Amino acid sequence: MSNRAELARRLKANLRLPVMAGPMFIASTADLVIEQCKAGIIGSMPALNPRTSEQLDADIARIAASVGDVPYAINLVAHKSNSRLEADLEIVLKHKVPIVVLALAANPDLVRALQANGSLVFQDVIKDRHARKCAEMGVDGLIAVGAGAGGHTGDRSPFALMQEIREWWDGLVLLSGAIANGQAVLAAEVLGADFAYIGSPFLASAEANTPPGVKH
């Protein structure tokens, strides 16, 4: 069994669907992560959503105590402009967060520190060039952010982006971009993704930090 297959098998062992929730700035909350995990997908939130590092510490502790064996993820903005990066990293390391999603910068020292502490490291990429750079750093998975995705979205068709990455990368891939139902999740798998990466549909959830008019 390949490393990719073994990693996918391990992550999916306690899931109902091959889905990871996208960490949505402002909207994702600890309560939403907990409910996503209880529903059988990998829940996630940005480290910056709790307005202080102390609150992040409390939120991660509550998530870890609530989700059992279902993995969850915390998103760290790795760019040097993130003044909280060092403090939030210490909290993520303290709690041994199962999955850490890095965004907006490729930092090999950060990848090594997280992996040495037991976390899987996934990196957002919007182009094949970015994917190759992150692969060279030894990340555990690539998140192909295609056109139609929210947040720091790319402009490449998910079809084209997956094809480019799968030509050379045999590791774990998560695919995002206009995925909102079971048919789209299946389509992502057919394209070669191990997981669908879904954000926007959760904006309407009761646990999301969104205005009442968004919740249906």
Side-chain angles (χ1 to χ4, degrees):
M1 182 177 287
S2 69
N3 290 337
R4 170 193 168 197
E6 174 58 25
L7 180 55
R9 184 201 64 77
R10 178 156 57 93
L11 287 173
K12 292 176 181 178
N14 296 297
L15 302 181
R16 290 182 58 247
L17 295 169
V19 170
M20 178 169 168
M24 299 179 290
F25 185 56
I26 298 177
S28 296
T29 65
D31 287 336
L32 180 55
V33 175
I34 290 168
E35 292 306 315
Q36 288 166 338
C37 290
K38 287 182 176 179
I41 68 171
I42 300 172
S44 75
M45 75 173 187
L48 291 174
N49 278 12
R51 303 319 296 166
T52 66
S53 294
E54 291 75 17
Q55 184 59 52
L56 174 65
D57 191 2
D59 279 358
I60 293 179
R62 187 157 61 89
I63 291 168
S66 302
V67 300
D69 294 327
V70 178
Y72 66 94
I74 297 295
N75 169 220
L76 287 175
V77 173
H79 194 269
K80 61 184 179 181
S81 63
N82 178 10
S83 61
R84 276 179 48 182
L85 178 57
E86 185 174 344
D88 289 352
L89 173 61
E90 288 301 315
I91 292 166
V92 166
L93 293 172
K94 167 187 169 183
H95 289 283
K96 296 184 180 296
V97 170
I99 301 169
V100 179
V101 176
L102 300 179
L104 297 185
N107 185 327
D109 292 335
L110 195 55
V111 172
R112 285 192 290 267
L114 289 162
Q115 290 175 331
N117 197 55
S119 296
L120 295 174
V121 179
F122 298 167
Q123 181 93 35
D124 282 352
V125 297
I126 63 172
K127 295 180 180 178
D128 184 70
R129 174 170 57 88
H130 299 153
R132 290 178 184 271
K133 184 176 182 179
C134 295
E136 289 173 1
M137 295 190 308
V139 299
D140 299 291
L142 299 171
I143 301 173
V145 184
H152 309 290
T153 188
D155 57 6
R156 301 284 179 91
S157 161
F159 291 91
L161 187 56
M162 275 298 307
Q163 180 175 322
E164 287 180 317
I165 292 173
R166 274 291 178 232
E167 284 181 355
W168 56 270
W169 171 255
D170 192 37
L172 208 69
V173 175
L174 299 85
L175 181 63
S176 72
I179 300 174
N181 56 36
Q183 290 175 312
V185 172
L186 180 60
E189 290 186 296
V190 171
L191 288 173
D194 299 285
F195 290 87
Y197 197 63
I198 302 176
S200 297
F202 295 110
L203 292 171
S205 64
E207 296 80 14
N209 183 27
T210 50
V214 174
K215 304 178 190 294
H216 302 296

PDB file of all heavy atoms in Angstrom, residues 140-169:
ATOM      1  N   ASP A 140       2.496  17.043   3.710  1.00  0.00           N
ATOM      2  CA  ASP A 140       1.772  15.773   3.665  1.00  0.00           C
ATOM      3  C   ASP A 140       0.640  15.770   2.655  1.00  0.00           C
ATOM      4  O   ASP A 140       0.202  14.696   2.224  1.00  0.00           O
ATOM      5  CB  ASP A 140       1.215  15.456   5.055  1.00  0.00           C
ATOM      6  CG  ASP A 140       2.317  15.305   6.090  1.00  0.00           C
ATOM      7  OD1 ASP A 140       3.076  14.331   6.014  1.00  0.00           O
ATOM      8  OD2 ASP A 140       2.419  16.194   6.962  1.00  0.00           O
ATOM      9  N   GLY A 141       0.143  16.934   2.308  1.00  0.00           N
ATOM     10  CA  GLY A 141      -0.949  17.013   1.360  1.00  0.00           C
ATOM     11  C   GLY A 141      -1.012  18.374   0.708  1.00  0.00           C
ATOM     12  O   GLY A 141      -0.564  19.378   1.275  1.00  0.00           O
ATOM     13  N   LEU A 142      -1.542  18.404  -0.504  1.00  0.00           N
ATOM     14  CA  LEU A 142      -1.745  19.648  -1.247  1.00  0.00           C
ATOM     15  C   LEU A 142      -3.236  19.921  -1.361  1.00  0.00           C
ATOM     16  O   LEU A 142      -4.018  19.014  -1.671  1.00  0.00           O
ATOM     17  CB  LEU A 142      -1.140  19.551  -2.648  1.00  0.00           C
ATOM     18  CG  LEU A 142       0.363  19.310  -2.734  1.00  0.00           C
ATOM     19  CD1 LEU A 142       0.772  19.028  -4.174  1.00  0.00           C
ATOM     20  CD2 LEU A 142       1.127  20.522  -2.184  1.00  0.00           C
ATOM     21  N   ILE A 143      -3.616  21.156  -1.101  1.00  0.00           N
ATOM     22  CA  ILE A 143      -5.011  21.576  -1.279  1.00  0.00           C
ATOM     23  C   ILE A 143      -5.069  22.401  -2.552  1.00  0.00           C
ATOM     24  O   ILE A 143      -4.579  23.534  -2.598  1.00  0.00           O
ATOM     25  CB  ILE A 143      -5.515  22.389  -0.083  1.00  0.00           C
ATOM     26  CG1 ILE A 143      -5.419  21.559   1.205  1.00  0.00           C
ATOM     27  CG2 ILE A 143      -6.956  22.829  -0.313  1.00  0.00           C
ATOM     28  CD1 ILE A 143      -5.750  22.336   2.465  1.00  0.00           C
ATOM     29  N   ALA A 144      -5.624  21.812  -3.605  1.00  0.00           N
ATOM     30  CA  ALA A 144      -5.720  22.486  -4.899  1.00  0.00           C
ATOM     31  C   ALA A 144      -6.925  23.415  -4.873  1.00  0.00           C
ATOM     32  O   ALA A 144      -8.069  22.969  -4.896  1.00  0.00           O
ATOM     33  CB  ALA A 144      -5.853  21.448  -6.015  1.00  0.00           C
ATOM     34  N   VAL A 145      -6.647  24.705  -4.788  1.00  0.00           N
ATOM     35  CA  VAL A 145      -7.706  25.714  -4.674  1.00  0.00           C
ATOM     36  C   VAL A 145      -8.020  26.237  -6.075  1.00  0.00           C
ATOM     37  O   VAL A 145      -7.304  27.075  -6.623  1.00  0.00           O
ATOM     38  CB  VAL A 145      -7.280  26.858  -3.737  1.00  0.00           C
ATOM     39  CG1 VAL A 145      -8.428  27.847  -3.557  1.00  0.00           C
ATOM     40  CG2 VAL A 145      -6.839  26.308  -2.386  1.00  0.00           C
ATOM     41  N   GLY A 146      -9.086  25.719  -6.650  1.00  0.00           N
ATOM     42  CA  GLY A 146      -9.425  26.070  -8.015  1.00  0.00           C
ATOM     43  C   GLY A 146     -10.414  27.215  -8.114  1.00  0.00           C
ATOM     44  O   GLY A 146     -10.877  27.773  -7.111  1.00  0.00           O
ATOM     45  N   ALA A 147     -10.748  27.568  -9.352  1.00  0.00           N
ATOM     46  CA  ALA A 147     -11.743  28.610  -9.596  1.00  0.00           C
ATOM     47  C   ALA A 147     -13.071  28.180  -8.978  1.00  0.00           C
ATOM     48  O   ALA A 147     -13.449  27.020  -9.020  1.00  0.00           O
ATOM     49  CB  ALA A 147     -11.905  28.826 -11.094  1.00  0.00           C
ATOM     50  N   GLY A 148     -13.750  29.155  -8.380  1.00  0.00           N
ATOM     51  CA  GLY A 148     -15.022  28.863  -7.731  1.00  0.00           C
ATOM     52  C   GLY A 148     -14.905  28.648  -6.247  1.00  0.00           C
ATOM     53  O   GLY A 148     -15.918  28.599  -5.548  1.00  0.00           O
ATOM     54  N   ALA A 149     -13.672  28.521  -5.746  1.00  0.00           N
ATOM     55  CA  ALA A 149     -13.471  28.372  -4.304  1.00  0.00           C
ATOM     56  C   ALA A 149     -13.543  29.734  -3.629  1.00  0.00           C
ATOM     57  O   ALA A 149     -13.270  30.762  -4.244  1.00  0.00           O
ATOM     58  CB  ALA A 149     -12.117  27.726  -4.023  1.00  0.00           C
ATOM     59  N   GLY A 150     -13.905  29.730  -2.350  1.00  0.00           N
ATOM     60  CA  GLY A 150     -13.927  30.978  -1.603  1.00  0.00           C
ATOM     61  C   GLY A 150     -12.542  31.320  -1.077  1.00  0.00           C
ATOM     62  O   GLY A 150     -11.569  30.608  -1.310  1.00  0.00           O
ATOM     63  N   GLY A 151     -12.457  32.410  -0.339  1.00  0.00           N
ATOM     64  CA  GLY A 151     -11.197  32.780   0.305  1.00  0.00           C
ATOM     65  C   GLY A 151     -10.123  33.150  -0.695  1.00  0.00           C
ATOM     66  O   GLY A 151     -10.361  33.890  -1.648  1.00  0.00           O
ATOM     67  N   HIS A 152      -8.921  32.619  -0.476  1.00  0.00           N
ATOM     68  CA  HIS A 152      -7.781  32.918  -1.345  1.00  0.00           C
ATOM     69  C   HIS A 152      -7.853  32.032  -2.572  1.00  0.00           C
ATOM     70  O   HIS A 152      -7.063  31.109  -2.758  1.00  0.00           O
ATOM     71  CB  HIS A 152      -6.475  32.699  -0.581  1.00  0.00           C
ATOM     72  CG  HIS A 152      -6.434  33.392   0.735  1.00  0.00           C
ATOM     73  ND1 HIS A 152      -6.352  34.767   0.838  1.00  0.00           N
ATOM     74  CD2 HIS A 152      -6.493  32.933   2.001  1.00  0.00           C
ATOM     75  CE1 HIS A 152      -6.343  35.103   2.121  1.00  0.00           C
ATOM     76  NE2 HIS A 152      -6.431  34.011   2.846  1.00  0.00           N
ATOM     77  N   THR A 153      -8.798  32.334  -3.438  1.00  0.00           N
ATOM     78  CA  THR A 153      -9.127  31.420  -4.523  1.00  0.00           C
ATOM     79  C   THR A 153      -8.164  31.546  -5.698  1.00  0.00           C
ATOM     80  O   THR A 153      -7.566  32.590  -5.939  1.00  0.00           O
ATOM     81  CB  THR A 153     -10.564  31.674  -5.008  1.00  0.00           C
ATOM     82  OG1 THR A 153     -10.920  30.654  -5.945  1.00  0.00           O
ATOM     83  CG2 THR A 153     -10.681  33.023  -5.696  1.00  0.00           C
ATOM     84  N   GLY A 154      -8.054  30.446  -6.428  1.00  0.00           N
ATOM     85  CA  GLY A 154      -7.286  30.463  -7.653  1.00  0.00           C
ATOM     86  C   GLY A 154      -8.164  30.766  -8.844  1.00  0.00           C
ATOM     87  O   GLY A 154      -9.384  30.931  -8.709  1.00  0.00           O
ATOM     88  N   ASP A 155      -7.550  30.812 -10.018  1.00  0.00           N
ATOM     89  CA  ASP A 155      -8.312  31.100 -11.232  1.00  0.00           C
ATOM     90  C   ASP A 155      -8.245  29.958 -12.231  1.00  0.00           C
ATOM     91  O   ASP A 155      -8.717  30.078 -13.352  1.00  0.00           O
ATOM     92  CB  ASP A 155      -7.827  32.398 -11.882  1.00  0.00           C
ATOM     93  CG  ASP A 155      -6.337  32.356 -12.216  1.00  0.00           C
ATOM     94  OD1 ASP A 155      -5.697  31.290 -12.052  1.00  0.00           O
ATOM     95  OD2 ASP A 155      -5.807  33.408 -12.639  1.00  0.00           O
ATOM     96  N   ARG A 156      -7.659  28.828 -11.820  1.00  0.00           N
ATOM     97  CA  ARG A 156      -7.563  27.668 -12.693  1.00  0.00           C
ATOM     98  C   ARG A 156      -8.775  26.769 -12.501  1.00  0.00           C
ATOM     99  O   ARG A 156      -9.230  26.560 -11.379  1.00  0.00           O
ATOM    100  CB  ARG A 156      -6.302  26.850 -12.385  1.00  0.00           C
ATOM    101  CG  ARG A 156      -4.994  27.614 -12.520  1.00  0.00           C
ATOM    102  CD  ARG A 156      -4.609  27.790 -13.969  1.00  0.00           C
ATOM    103  NE  ARG A 156      -3.373  28.552 -14.085  1.00  0.00           N
ATOM    104  CZ  ARG A 156      -2.159  28.007 -14.127  1.00  0.00           C
ATOM    105  NH1 ARG A 156      -2.030  26.702 -14.017  1.00  0.00           N
ATOM    106  NH2 ARG A 156      -1.087  28.760 -14.267  1.00  0.00           N
ATOM    107  N   SER A 157      -9.249  26.222 -13.587  1.00  0.00           N
ATOM    108  CA  SER A 157     -10.309  25.233 -13.496  1.00  0.00           C
ATOM    109  C   SER A 157      -9.841  24.071 -12.627  1.00  0.00           C
ATOM    110  O   SER A 157      -8.698  23.613 -12.755  1.00  0.00           O
ATOM    111  CB  SER A 157     -10.661  24.715 -14.890  1.00  0.00           C
ATOM    112  OG  SER A 157     -11.346  23.484 -14.815  1.00  0.00           O
ATOM    113  N   PRO A 158     -10.701  23.573 -11.726  1.00  0.00           N
ATOM    114  CA  PRO A 158     -10.314  22.396 -10.943  1.00  0.00           C
ATOM    115  C   PRO A 158      -9.894  21.224 -11.822  1.00  0.00           C
ATOM    116  O   PRO A 158      -9.017  20.443 -11.453  1.00  0.00           O
ATOM    117  CB  PRO A 158     -11.581  22.070 -10.141  1.00  0.00           C
ATOM    118  CG  PRO A 158     -12.299  23.380 -10.032  1.00  0.00           C
ATOM    119  CD  PRO A 158     -12.028  24.088 -11.324  1.00  0.00           C
ATOM    120  N   PHE A 159     -10.505  21.101 -13.009  1.00  0.00           N
ATOM    121  CA  PHE A 159     -10.134  20.032 -13.938  1.00  0.00           C
ATOM    122  C   PHE A 159      -8.679  20.180 -14.365  1.00  0.00           C
ATOM    123  O   PHE A 159      -7.899  19.228 -14.328  1.00  0.00           O
ATOM    124  CB  PHE A 159     -11.042  20.065 -15.178  1.00  0.00           C
ATOM    125  CG  PHE A 159     -12.462  19.683 -14.914  1.00  0.00           C
ATOM    126  CD1 PHE A 159     -13.399  20.650 -14.593  1.00  0.00           C
ATOM    127  CD2 PHE A 159     -12.867  18.362 -14.994  1.00  0.00           C
ATOM    128  CE1 PHE A 159     -14.720  20.302 -14.346  1.00  0.00           C
ATOM    129  CE2 PHE A 159     -14.181  18.001 -14.749  1.00  0.00           C
ATOM    130  CZ  PHE A 159     -15.113  18.980 -14.424  1.00  0.00           C
ATOM    131  N   ALA A 160      -8.306  21.392 -14.773  1.00  0.00           N
ATOM    132  CA  ALA A 160      -6.942  21.627 -15.245  1.00  0.00           C
ATOM    133  C   ALA A 160      -5.934  21.535 -14.107  1.00  0.00           C
ATOM    134  O   ALA A 160      -4.855  20.943 -14.261  1.00  0.00           O
ATOM    135  CB  ALA A 160      -6.856  23.002 -15.916  1.00  0.00           C
ATOM    136  N   LEU A 161      -6.271  22.104 -12.958  1.00  0.00           N
ATOM    137  CA  LEU A 161      -5.339  22.119 -11.834  1.00  0.00           C
ATOM    138  C   LEU A 161      -5.068  20.699 -11.329  1.00  0.00           C
ATOM    139  O   LEU A 161      -3.917  20.333 -11.061  1.00  0.00           O
ATOM    140  CB  LEU A 161      -5.905  22.990 -10.710  1.00  0.00           C
ATOM    141  CG  LEU A 161      -4.992  23.268  -9.515  1.00  0.00           C
ATOM    142  CD1 LEU A 161      -3.682  23.897  -9.963  1.00  0.00           C
ATOM    143  CD2 LEU A 161      -5.704  24.182  -8.514  1.00  0.00           C
ATOM    144  N   MET A 162      -6.098  19.878 -11.205  1.00  0.00           N
ATOM    145  CA  MET A 162      -5.905  18.506 -10.756  1.00  0.00           C
ATOM    146  C   MET A 162      -5.058  17.730 -11.759  1.00  0.00           C
ATOM    147  O   MET A 162      -4.177  16.944 -11.374  1.00  0.00           O
ATOM    148  CB  MET A 162      -7.250  17.808 -10.573  1.00  0.00           C
ATOM    149  CG  MET A 162      -7.910  18.033  -9.231  1.00  0.00           C
ATOM    150  SD  MET A 162      -6.959  17.420  -7.814  1.00  0.00           S
ATOM    151  CE  MET A 162      -6.667  15.724  -8.288  1.00  0.00           C
ATOM    152  N   GLN A 163      -5.314  17.931 -13.036  1.00  0.00           N
ATOM    153  CA  GLN A 163      -4.552  17.207 -14.057  1.00  0.00           C
ATOM    154  C   GLN A 163      -3.074  17.569 -13.984  1.00  0.00           C
ATOM    155  O   GLN A 163      -2.199  16.688 -14.065  1.00  0.00           O
ATOM    156  CB  GLN A 163      -5.104  17.534 -15.443  1.00  0.00           C
ATOM    157  CG  GLN A 163      -4.377  16.814 -16.574  1.00  0.00           C
ATOM    158  CD  GLN A 163      -5.014  17.065 -17.918  1.00  0.00           C
ATOM    159  OE1 GLN A 163      -6.228  17.142 -18.046  1.00  0.00           O
ATOM    160  NE2 GLN A 163      -4.181  17.196 -18.939  1.00  0.00           N
ATOM    161  N   GLU A 164      -2.776  18.859 -13.814  1.00  0.00           N
ATOM    162  CA  GLU A 164      -1.381  19.290 -13.725  1.00  0.00           C
ATOM    163  C   GLU A 164      -0.687  18.664 -12.527  1.00  0.00           C
ATOM    164  O   GLU A 164       0.443  18.165 -12.625  1.00  0.00           O
ATOM    165  CB  GLU A 164      -1.317  20.816 -13.620  1.00  0.00           C
ATOM    166  CG  GLU A 164      -1.624  21.551 -14.897  1.00  0.00           C
ATOM    167  CD  GLU A 164      -1.529  23.059 -14.719  1.00  0.00           C
ATOM    168  OE1 GLU A 164      -2.017  23.570 -13.697  1.00  0.00           O
ATOM    169  OE2 GLU A 164      -0.959  23.716 -15.604  1.00  0.00           O
ATOM    170  N   ILE A 165      -1.353  18.707 -11.377  1.00  0.00           N
ATOM    171  CA  ILE A 165      -0.726  18.204 -10.154  1.00  0.00           C
ATOM    172  C   ILE A 165      -0.572  16.694 -10.190  1.00  0.00           C
ATOM    173  O   ILE A 165       0.472  16.146  -9.811  1.00  0.00           O
ATOM    174  CB  ILE A 165      -1.528  18.656  -8.919  1.00  0.00           C
ATOM    175  CG1 ILE A 165      -1.421  20.179  -8.745  1.00  0.00           C
ATOM    176  CG2 ILE A 165      -1.052  17.941  -7.664  1.00  0.00           C
ATOM    177  CD1 ILE A 165      -2.311  20.746  -7.662  1.00  0.00           C
ATOM    178  N   ARG A 166      -1.570  15.979 -10.664  1.00  0.00           N
ATOM    179  CA  ARG A 166      -1.521  14.530 -10.672  1.00  0.00           C
ATOM    180  C   ARG A 166      -0.525  13.968 -11.698  1.00  0.00           C
ATOM    181  O   ARG A 166      -0.165  12.790 -11.647  1.00  0.00           O
ATOM    182  CB  ARG A 166      -2.908  13.946 -10.925  1.00  0.00           C
ATOM    183  CG  ARG A 166      -3.721  13.791  -9.648  1.00  0.00           C
ATOM    184  CD  ARG A 166      -3.132  12.708  -8.760  1.00  0.00           C
ATOM    185  NE  ARG A 166      -3.868  12.546  -7.489  1.00  0.00           N
ATOM    186  CZ  ARG A 166      -3.303  12.568  -6.308  1.00  0.00           C
ATOM    187  NH1 ARG A 166      -2.000  12.759  -6.188  1.00  0.00           N
ATOM    188  NH2 ARG A 166      -4.012  12.408  -5.213  1.00  0.00           N
ATOM    189  N   GLU A 167      -0.031  14.803 -12.604  1.00  0.00           N
ATOM    190  CA  GLU A 167       0.985  14.334 -13.553  1.00  0.00           C
ATOM    191  C   GLU A 167       2.288  13.963 -12.848  1.00  0.00           C
ATOM    192  O   GLU A 167       3.060  13.147 -13.353  1.00  0.00           O
ATOM    193  CB  GLU A 167       1.256  15.410 -14.614  1.00  0.00           C
ATOM    194  CG  GLU A 167       0.168  15.507 -15.678  1.00  0.00           C
ATOM    195  CD  GLU A 167       0.476  16.569 -16.713  1.00  0.00           C
ATOM    196  OE1 GLU A 167       1.494  17.284 -16.541  1.00  0.00           O
ATOM    197  OE2 GLU A 167      -0.280  16.683 -17.689  1.00  0.00           O
ATOM    198  N   TRP A 168       2.527  14.567 -11.681  1.00  0.00           N
ATOM    199  CA  TRP A 168       3.811  14.315 -11.012  1.00  0.00           C
ATOM    200  C   TRP A 168       3.686  14.021  -9.513  1.00  0.00           C
ATOM    201  O   TRP A 168       4.597  13.479  -8.905  1.00  0.00           O
ATOM    202  CB  TRP A 168       4.733  15.525 -11.182  1.00  0.00           C
ATOM    203  CG  TRP A 168       4.126  16.815 -10.681  1.00  0.00           C
ATOM    204  CD1 TRP A 168       3.363  17.700 -11.398  1.00  0.00           C
ATOM    205  CD2 TRP A 168       4.204  17.339  -9.357  1.00  0.00           C
ATOM    206  NE1 TRP A 168       2.958  18.743 -10.598  1.00  0.00           N
ATOM    207  CE2 TRP A 168       3.466  18.554  -9.341  1.00  0.00           C
ATOM    208  CE3 TRP A 168       4.828  16.919  -8.183  1.00  0.00           C
ATOM    209  CZ2 TRP A 168       3.336  19.337  -8.186  1.00  0.00           C
ATOM    210  CZ3 TRP A 168       4.690  17.703  -7.032  1.00  0.00           C
ATOM    211  CH2 TRP A 168       3.954  18.893  -7.062  1.00  0.00           C
ATOM    212  N   TRP A 169       2.563  14.351  -8.884  1.00  0.00           N
ATOM    213  CA  TRP A 169       2.413  14.223  -7.435  1.00  0.00           C
ATOM    214  C   TRP A 169       1.566  13.013  -7.114  1.00  0.00           C
ATOM    215  O   TRP A 169       0.408  12.914  -7.534  1.00  0.00           O
ATOM    216  CB  TRP A 169       1.755  15.488  -6.883  1.00  0.00           C
ATOM    217  CG  TRP A 169       1.325  15.455  -5.439  1.00  0.00           C
ATOM    218  CD1 TRP A 169       0.044  15.331  -4.981  1.00  0.00           C
ATOM    219  CD2 TRP A 169       2.148  15.561  -4.271  1.00  0.00           C
ATOM    220  NE1 TRP A 169       0.020  15.364  -3.611  1.00  0.00           N
ATOM    221  CE2 TRP A 169       1.298  15.513  -3.141  1.00  0.00           C
ATOM    222  CE3 TRP A 169       3.524  15.710  -4.067  1.00  0.00           C
ATOM    223  CZ2 TRP A 169       1.773  15.592  -1.832  1.00  0.00           C
ATOM    224  CZ3 TRP A 169       3.995  15.796  -2.766  1.00  0.00           C
ATOM    225  CH2 TRP A 169       3.137  15.745  -1.663  1.00  0.00           C
TER     226      TRP A 169
END
